[in-house]
Amino acid sequence: MKNTLSGKNETSNNSGKSREERDLLGARNVPADAYYGIQTMRAMENFRLTDVPLSHYPPLVSALAMVKQAAAEANHHLDHLPSTRFKAISMACQAIINGQHNDQFVVDMIQGGAGTSTNMNANEVIANLGLELLGHAKGEYQHLHPNNDVNMAQSTNDAYPTAIRLGLLLGHDILLDSLAALSSAFAAKGQEFAKVLKMGRTQLQDAVPMTLGQEFQAFATTLNEDLSRLTQQVPALLCEVNLGGTAIGTGINADPRYQQLAVERLTAISGQPLKPAQDLIEATSDMGDFVLISGMLKRVAVKLSKICNDLRLLSSGPRTGFNEINLPARQPGSSIMPGKVNPVIPEAVNQVAFEVIGNDLALTLAAEGGQLQLNAMEPLITYKLFDSVRLLTRAMDMLREYCVDGITANEAHCRAQVEHSIGLVTALNPYIGYDNATRIAQQALATNAGVLELLRNEDLLDEDTLADALHPDNMTAPRLVTPLS
């Protein structure tokens, strides 16, 4: 039988040296120095959409190579892949895992074909790297074939989703590290600002006193909640893989012993706690795990955006805003207003959050858009998940390094606002009663007088009781006060 993917001698064209390759659609010239082949080249021509290639996400590229290496080891162990070809594939995969040849993974992240172009990009690069190791020219696939050898016992429909899951696992710790570091930075500010008394606000109106430290500790706590969930839940969602299911989960064209062995080898190669899916047909078509993970990433994004909104409000001014904190100045803020400095770091994080929220919606629609035994929208799901992880990781690092670590408090201003705030009467309500407190609040608003000034004018409380009631520790924590008789 004639090989439908045969390589020929290098030729020349207008763009430089090339080699001819063939597929079911005919012959094409591929750049001679390219490790990818004709099917990758067709995908490059067809899918000029995001300008974001596979190489943009190194963990995904490494995961693809790990899957191919594990499959080769399993097939070799089962005597289906000759030693010479196995060694060439394994060495080629290891080079990719080590970070070499990322630039050869050129297919656009969004593509038709349910990821076939991604799978073939990996198959062709590995085959051509292996051919060079065997002493053959690129494209001489009769010696090492992208489909027959590199893709043995696989389909895009099991190799690609397995690589997605593994790639996310490989990048998961980096995201967790960034989240943990940001939470710790807020906690450190919570300690630093523990004695800075300020007014809390609800619905942007004065509420009751609190400390700036409590406010920043709350930021740390809310991020720690998500750190805990991501640490515990994401690996559990991702570790079950459908490798061995081939086309739709039936395992056609794979040795019955292959699935278990391939997953065992992939676990050893990657160091991740992978396990075979119990129902390969379900695992091949269901995208529910990715929807859950995307939802958790969206939750982080929403929290980050809310925190950044608060930071921008608290630092607003400097003369006509809250002006309770100072954000580090990062760049001039206006081309027309001299001296203006904008909160550019929180603003950028807000925009990242909006992008991640949008990614989640796109992914949700893609997960719903699958039919029958396969979801053809997996490339979009892949793109949005890896994009969200990358954006959130970078945004959290930027927020911590360029903003949170350098925040300072305007302590005197915060204290003055507390003492002048109408909300101060809430702390005094147990001592003077609701009716008196309401009257004092209304009078303070009408006259612009301070609450303390009015209390002293009416001699409603003696100075010792007033000092005790207004002590920061007593206003910012639970305290039982004997009700008025």
Side-chain angles (χ1 to χ4, degrees):
M1 176 184 285
K2 184 176 179 181
N3 196 330
T4 59
L5 262 171
S6 60
K8 292 190 175 182
N9 292 334
E10 293 180 358
T11 59
S12 297
N13 59 24
N14 292 334
S15 61
K17 290 185 176 181
S18 64
R19 65 178 187 270
E20 186 182 88
E21 291 191 14
R22 291 182 176 273
D23 61 10
L24 65 88
L25 298 183
R28 291 296 304 272
N29 285 332
V30 178
D33 59 352
Y35 286 100
Y36 57 79
I38 185 171
Q39 293 198 44
T40 301
M41 188 170 175
R42 291 192 191 279
M44 291 170 63
E45 295 168 348
N46 289 333
F47 310 122
R48 298 177 178 178
L49 298 170
T50 67
D51 286 330
V52 177
L54 301 176
S55 59
H56 201 61
Y57 304 104
L60 177 59
V61 173
S62 294
L64 285 163
M66 289 179 183
V67 170
K68 299 298 175 180
Q69 189 177 48
E73 289 189 13
N75 285 315
H76 176 61
H77 181 81
L78 297 170
D79 295 326
H80 301 308
L81 185 63
S83 293
T84 301
R85 297 189 180 200
F86 159 63
K87 290 177 182 177
I89 292 172
S90 185
M91 290 176 66
C93 289
Q94 192 59 53
I96 295 168
I97 294 167
N98 291 341
Q100 302 175 42
H101 311 294
N102 267 20
D103 62 334
Q104 297 299 302
F105 288 81
V106 292
V107 173
D108 197 289
M109 287 296 293
I110 297 182
Q111 56 195 254
T116 297
S117 298
T118 293
N119 190 37
M120 286 309 303
N121 193 165
N123 288 335
E124 289 175 341
V125 170
I126 292 166
N128 283 310
L129 285 169
L131 284 170
E132 285 193 344
L133 292 168
L134 293 171
H136 301 290
K138 300 184 191 72
E140 293 185 349
Y141 296 133
Q142 66 271 27
H143 302 293
L144 187 66
H145 198 279
N147 296 80
N148 296 339
D149 298 313
V150 181
N151 199 61
M152 181 183 289
Q154 301 155 65
S155 163
T156 295
N157 305 341
D158 68 334
Y160 180 51
T162 298
I164 297 168
R165 290 171 175 269
L166 179 55
L168 290 169
L169 283 170
L170 293 175
H172 186 55
D173 286 347
I174 299 173
L175 174 70
L176 295 182
D177 289 345
S178 296
L179 181 54
L182 179 59
S183 178
S184 295
F186 278 119
K189 288 297 171 181
Q191 291 291 324
E192 182 181 341
F193 302 148
K195 298 300 182 182
V196 179
L197 190 66
K198 59 159 284 179
M199 282 304 299
R201 298 177 180 86
T202 58
Q203 296 158 283
L204 293 179
Q205 305 299 304
D206 293 358
V208 297
M210 66 184 303
T211 68
L212 190 61
Q214 288 174 318
E215 193 162 26
F216 273 75
Q217 181 56 53
F219 295 154
T221 300
T222 195
L223 294 178
N224 260 328
E225 290 175 351
D226 284 353
L227 178 62
S228 176
R229 286 181 172 86
L230 288 168
T231 301
Q232 295 171 11
Q233 296 179 23
V234 169
L237 290 169
L238 292 174
C239 69
E240 188 175 275
V241 298
N242 72 325
L243 188 62
T246 66
I248 65 170
T250 62
I252 189 172
N253 293 343
D255 188 303
R257 301 165 293 175
Y258 167 80
Q259 182 203 11
Q260 185 68 39
L261 184 57
V263 176
E264 287 176 0
R265 294 313 308 145
L266 186 56
T267 297
I269 290 166
S270 67
Q272 299 296 327
L274 306 175
K275 60 183 180 181
Q278 293 185 356
D279 187 333
L280 288 172
I281 292 178
E282 183 276 339
T284 302
S285 61
D286 180 58
M287 301 290 108
D289 291 344
F290 297 139
V291 173
L292 280 173
I293 292 168
S294 180
M296 285 190 275
L297 297 176
K298 179 180 73 173
R299 175 178 155 132
V300 174
V302 169
K303 289 188 175 189
L304 283 173
S305 190
K306 191 272 180 188
I307 290 170
C308 285
N309 290 339
D310 289 353
L311 293 178
R312 292 192 294 120
L313 277 174
L314 294 174
S315 64
S316 61
R319 296 290 175 86
T320 59
F322 287 7
N323 194 31
E324 294 183 356
I325 62 173
N326 306 299
L327 305 185
R330 286 297 166 190
Q331 61 190 59
S334 175
S335 61
I336 188 174
M337 293 173 278
K340 189 171 186 285
V341 178
N342 296 328
V344 293
I345 302 302
E347 288 172 350
V349 176
N350 281 130
Q351 292 170 76
V352 166
F354 305 155
E355 179 81 1
V356 172
I357 293 167
N359 284 351
D360 178 68
L361 176 57
L363 183 150
T364 301
L365 294 172
E368 185 275 334
Q371 301 90 28
L372 304 177
Q373 279 67 60
L374 184 66
N375 191 313
M377 315 303 170
E378 274 187 273
L380 181 63
I381 291 171
T382 307
Y383 176 36
K384 293 307 178 182
L385 274 175
F386 279 89
D387 188 50
S388 291
V389 169
R390 179 173 178 268
L391 282 171
L392 283 174
T393 300
R394 290 186 168 196
M396 289 188 292
D397 288 344
M398 176 186 69
L399 182 61
R400 172 181 51 81
E401 183 177 352
Y402 294 150
C403 182
V404 177
D405 285 346
I407 291 174
T408 58
N410 294 324
E411 184 170 1
H413 179 66
C414 288
R415 180 89 191 191
Q417 285 187 316
V418 171
E419 293 179 353
H420 194 68
S421 170
I422 307 302
L424 195 60
V425 296
T426 303
L428 300 172
N429 183 43
Y431 299 88
I432 63 175
Y434 188 84
D435 291 339
N436 276 334
T438 301
R439 181 175 54 77
I440 291 294
Q442 291 175 327
Q443 190 175 351
L445 282 171
T447 64
N448 201 33
V451 169
L452 298 183
E453 176 187 352
L454 294 174
L455 285 171
R456 289 186 173 106
N457 288 344
E458 296 192 18
D459 199 23
L460 288 174
L461 289 175
D462 61 71
E463 288 298 325
D464 289 342
T465 303
L466 189 59
D468 180 69
L470 297 180
H471 191 281
D473 292 341
N474 296 334
M475 287 195 295
T476 60
R479 189 192 190 204
L480 182 63
V481 177
T482 303
L484 294 174
S485 56

